[in-house]
């Protein structure tokens, strides 16, 4: 079969698939329609010929067949046919009961020596039991079927060999049983695939919601760090400029210039963070090129802004801090930024800040200690800033501690674990 033939069959397969889906939907809505249709079909194909002609009068069969089987009156034939065919109405709802009734009528019929075409109902019931019934019911059903087939073979022994008849009948019963089990297994596989597809879709939606929540948390943390720090610097500079305007106008002008620079820097950082969320119609990032995230090299400029706000900052580093990856450097920058922001909020204008970033033996220590009052930042006051610092440090297996310093003032210390775990970070 060529590729063109397969392509030409695709519309037909799709049309048949749609028809099958509609039929299954209709069967789920009105299951009695299919059950009744099966009974009517079996009656027309196998019962009606016996009522019109009778098995014993069938001129197509050999004479010995006509002599072996008992000819029943129409009423008896009709009663046996009803016992064989009508239980098929509940073959899907009560397959075991339907099979039991049909098997009992089948045995009674052959005990009388009568042969009916409606005996095919036993194989239909066995198929339905294998498809819809409980699997533990199949052994006794197979035993009953084998016994019934043996009875038929013995009754027909005058016309055909017992072993030939038994082989044919048991083969037919085995085919009905195997077909029911095959369809059952196939339906179970399809149900499993549908269930798996549904679970995968749920997991995909959950991952999407989790990723969205994580991204919102990250953006909120970045916004807090950017807005909180820069607004603290602007407020401090504005207060200092207000007092310096009358005494030293040049210092007031300098404060206004620093306020403008800080505001522009904050606006640029906000545009960078929000630009990550903005996409063009084709999915590519929109807007101008984004500047890199701040790192340890930008801490000097951060300290310069804090010094301009009136605090004295002493900053030192130790170890190969410039060789750290970008994620660690951003974490260090944000932790230092938040600590200095807290100092601007709570320390006095003449406070002194000691800032140290030390890298030794796979551990990075960030220590920010000021000489401001510790009471204003009591141990029970824990805002979003300290929580954000701890979340950032936890990404690298680190911890953050904050509290009054031994020599007075306030101290914030963060320790990050730089040792790769389960591969590179």
């Amino acid at each position: 079969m060529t590729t063109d033939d397969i392509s030409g069959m695709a519309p037909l397969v799709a049309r048949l698939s749609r028809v099958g889906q509609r039929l299954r939907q209709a069967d789920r809505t009105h299951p009695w329609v299919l059950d009744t249709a099966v009974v009517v079909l079996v009656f027309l194909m196998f019962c009606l010929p016996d009522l019109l002609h009778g098995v014993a009068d069938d001129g197509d069969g050999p004479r010995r067949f006509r002599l072996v089987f008992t000819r029943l009156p129409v009423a008896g034939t009709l009663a046996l046919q009803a016992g064989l065919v009508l239980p098929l109405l509940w073959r899907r709802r009560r397959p075991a009961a339907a099979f039991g009734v049909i098997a009992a009528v089948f045995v009674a019929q052959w005990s009388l020596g009568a042969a009916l075409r409606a005996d095919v109902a036993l194989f239909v019931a066995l198929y339905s039991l294998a498809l819809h019934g409980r699997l533990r019911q199949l052994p006794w059903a197979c035993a009953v079927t084998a016994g019934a087939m043996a009875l038929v073979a013995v009754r027909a022994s005058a016309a055909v060999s017992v072993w030939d008849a038994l082989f044919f009948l048991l083969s037919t019963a085995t085919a009905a049983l195997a077909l029911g089990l095959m369809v059952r297994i196939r339906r179970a596989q399809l149900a499993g695939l549908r269930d798996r597809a549904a679970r995968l879709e749920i997991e995909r939606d959950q991952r999407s919601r989790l990723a969205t929540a994580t991204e919102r948390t990250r953006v909120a943390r970045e916004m807090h760090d950017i807005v909180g720090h820069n607004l603290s610097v602007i407020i401090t500079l504005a207060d200092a400029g207000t007092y310096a305007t009358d005494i030293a106008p040049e210092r007031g002008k300098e404060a206004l210039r620093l306020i403008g620079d800080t505001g522009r820097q904050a606006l640029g950082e906000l545009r960078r963070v929000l630009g990550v969320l903005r996409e063009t119609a084709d999915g590519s990032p929109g807007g101008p090129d984004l500047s890199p995230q701040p790192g340890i090299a930008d801490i000097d400029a951060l300290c310069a802004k804090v010094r301009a706000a009136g605090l004295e900052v002493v900053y030192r580093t130790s170890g190969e801090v410039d060789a750290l990856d970008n994620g660690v450097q951003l974490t260090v920058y944000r932790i230092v930024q938040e600590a200095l922001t807290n100092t601007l909020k709570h320390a006095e204008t003449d406070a002194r800040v000691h800032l140290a970033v030390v890298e030794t033996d796979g551990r990075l220590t960030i220590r920010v200690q000021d000489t401001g009052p510790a009471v204003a930042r009591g141990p029970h006051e824990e805002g979003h800033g300290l929580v954000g610092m701890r979340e950032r440090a936890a990404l690298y297996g680190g911890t953050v501690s904050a509290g009054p310093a031994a020599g007075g003032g306030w101290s914030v210390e963060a320790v990050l674990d730089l040792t790769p775990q389960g591969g590179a970070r």
Side-chain angles (χ1 to χ4, degrees):
M1 183 177 291
T2 63
T3 305
D4 294 338
D5 295 335
I6 297 176
S7 301
M9 292 177 60
L12 177 61
V13 173
R15 192 176 300 110
L16 292 176
S17 177
R18 288 193 295 270
V19 171
Q21 290 177 356
R22 294 193 189 99
L23 290 177
R24 286 192 294 271
Q25 180 63 31
D27 183 48
R28 284 192 293 267
T29 306
H30 305 288
W32 57 271
V33 174
L34 179 59
D35 296 334
T36 305
V38 170
V39 172
V40 172
L41 182 64
V42 171
F43 176 80
L44 294 176
M45 292 182 63
F46 300 101
C47 297
L48 195 58
D50 287 345
L51 294 175
L52 296 178
H53 306 291
V55 175
D57 294 335
D58 194 350
D60 295 335
R63 178 179 176 79
R64 62 177 182 273
F65 278 98
R66 299 197 299 271
L67 296 177
V68 167
F69 302 123
T70 303
R71 181 178 181 182
L72 298 174
V74 175
T77 301
L78 190 59
L80 290 174
Q81 288 178 345
L84 290 170
V85 176
L86 290 181
L88 293 179
L89 286 172
W90 63 83
R91 65 182 182 88
R92 293 193 292 180
R93 289 167 293 176
R94 297 289 187 271
F99 176 83
V101 172
I102 292 173
V105 176
F106 183 91
V107 171
Q109 168 212 321
W110 280 98
S111 298
L112 298 174
L116 297 175
R117 293 181 176 90
D119 290 338
V120 72
L122 181 66
F123 301 114
V124 176
L126 182 61
Y127 162 82
S128 300
L129 181 61
L131 177 58
H132 303 289
R134 298 177 181 177
L135 294 179
R136 65 171 179 266
Q137 297 171 340
L138 289 181
W140 69 261
C142 292
V144 170
T145 303
M149 296 302 103
L151 175 62
V152 175
V154 171
R155 282 292 185 176
S157 59
V160 67
S161 170
V162 174
W163 298 110
D164 290 344
L166 196 59
F167 174 78
F168 173 76
L169 293 171
L170 291 179
S171 298
T172 306
T174 303
L177 180 66
L179 181 62
L181 290 175
M182 182 187 70
V183 176
R184 183 187 188 122
I185 293 172
R186 178 60 176 169
R187 288 183 179 180
Q189 290 175 341
L190 291 177
L193 291 175
R194 285 192 293 266
D195 180 68
R196 176 175 173 80
R199 286 189 286 107
L200 289 176
E201 186 175 357
I202 293 174
E203 292 176 1
R204 182 197 63 190
D205 294 339
Q206 290 176 343
R207 287 195 298 268
S208 177
R209 287 194 294 268
L210 181 61
T212 301
T214 302
E215 182 64 15
R216 287 178 177 176
T217 302
R218 186 190 68 81
V219 172
R221 189 166 54 226
E222 292 289 327
M223 296 279 287
H224 174 270
D225 292 341
I226 294 170
V227 175
H229 171 75
N230 288 287
L231 283 181
S232 297
V233 173
I234 289 173
I235 292 172
T236 304
L237 289 172
D239 292 340
T242 301
Y243 290 110
T245 300
D246 298 331
I247 301 174
E250 293 298 326
R251 294 290 300 275
K253 293 174 59 177
E254 179 67 16
L256 292 176
R257 186 185 63 80
L258 291 174
I259 289 174
D261 293 341
T262 304
R264 282 188 291 271
Q265 180 181 355
L267 183 59
E269 292 183 2
L270 285 175
R271 285 175 175 171
R272 183 185 66 247
V273 173
L274 297 178
V276 177
L277 307 178
R278 192 180 303 121
E279 293 183 349
T280 59
D282 59 355
S284 59
D289 294 337
L290 303 179
S291 60
Q293 292 277 39
I296 293 179
D298 299 294
I299 295 180
D300 286 322
L302 184 64
C303 294
K305 290 197 301 181
V306 175
R307 292 189 188 100
L311 295 180
E312 181 181 356
V313 181
V314 179
Y315 170 49
R316 69 180 183 87
T317 61
S318 177
E320 299 294 330
V321 294
D322 293 331
L324 299 175
D325 63 63
N326 295 334
V328 176
Q329 294 203 30
L330 176 61
T331 299
V332 173
Y333 181 88
R334 293 305 185 196
I335 291 176
V336 171
Q337 184 183 51
E338 182 61 33
L340 293 178
T341 300
N342 290 337
T343 300
L344 281 172
K345 290 179 180 178
H346 302 289
E348 299 173 353
T349 55
D350 58 349
R352 183 184 182 91
V353 182
H354 294 274
L355 168 61
V357 179
V358 180
E359 187 272 330
T360 55
D361 299 331
R363 295 173 67 86
L364 184 67
T365 303
I366 308 162
R367 187 178 296 107
V368 182
Q369 181 176 348
D370 62 63
T371 59
V375 178
R377 295 164 284 176
H380 300 291
E381 182 179 327
E382 183 171 317
H384 296 289
L386 185 56
V387 173
M389 285 192 286
R390 286 175 175 164
E391 289 178 353
R392 290 183 181 277
L395 295 176
Y396 296 92
T399 58
V400 175
S401 59
W410 190 262
S411 175
V412 175
E413 182 173 330
V415 180
L416 307 183
D417 184 7
L418 304 180
T419 304
Q421 300 178 0
R425 291 192 183 273

